[in-house]
Amino acid sequence: MPAEATDAYEDSYRGVLRKVARVVLLDPDDRILLLHGHEPGDPADDWWFTPGGGVEGDETREEAALRELAEETGITEVELGPVLWRRMCSFPFAGRRWDQDEWYYLARTSDASGAVPEPTRLTELERRSVAGARWWTCRELSRAHETVYPTRLAGLLRRLLDEGPPAGPVTLDTEIV
């Protein structure tokens, strides 16, 4: 793991609230890109989630969102929009507890190919726990039986597509797993 990732990982373990920037990436057909993750060593304990990760050093959340998106998907040509949602969460992962303050940014890509993107720079932990990516329609997401984070993402996406971005960030329910 890079030093910054190791520091963030250790801070999370020590109960420090980790600042996270996530990306709600939509393509021209309003499909959302989700990554497929699992507990390292247990691919059956899996879930889907938006690209993103911890803020490193003195970077802004916007910078972190764009960096994480590039590292996890290879996608660099996006329009980063407003913060849609904010969420506090706490969950076990890789033998540790992660306490996070997550900001979800809207982003759009003009690529309509539907190609599944490839990561360009994953941490060692991400290489052991990210199994791929997929573009989802809102309808597919609403019918999915898989675990998706944040919970109720299908409804949040439907509202975003129907009403546009909120006037200010919406605070989502705290999730403790």
Side-chain angles (χ1 to χ4, degrees), residues 10 18-19 34 46 52 56 70 75 92-93 99 142 148 163 177:
E10 293 302 321
R18 183 174 183 238
K19 293 179 182 177
L34 296 179
D46 68 332
E56 295 179 358
I75 297 173
F93 175 67
D99 299 312
S142 69
V148 177
E163 300 175 14
V177 180

Side-chain angles (χ1 to χ4, degrees), residues 99-127:
D99 299 312
Q100 300 189 156
D101 175 12
E102 299 181 336
W103 292 18
Y104 290 79
Y105 288 87
L106 175 61
R108 289 252 180 208
T109 180
S110 59
D111 183 358
S113 71
V116 175
E118 293 290 327
T120 60
R121 199 178 107 208
L122 297 179
T123 65
E124 183 272 332
L125 179 58
E126 288 169 332
R127 281 191 297 277

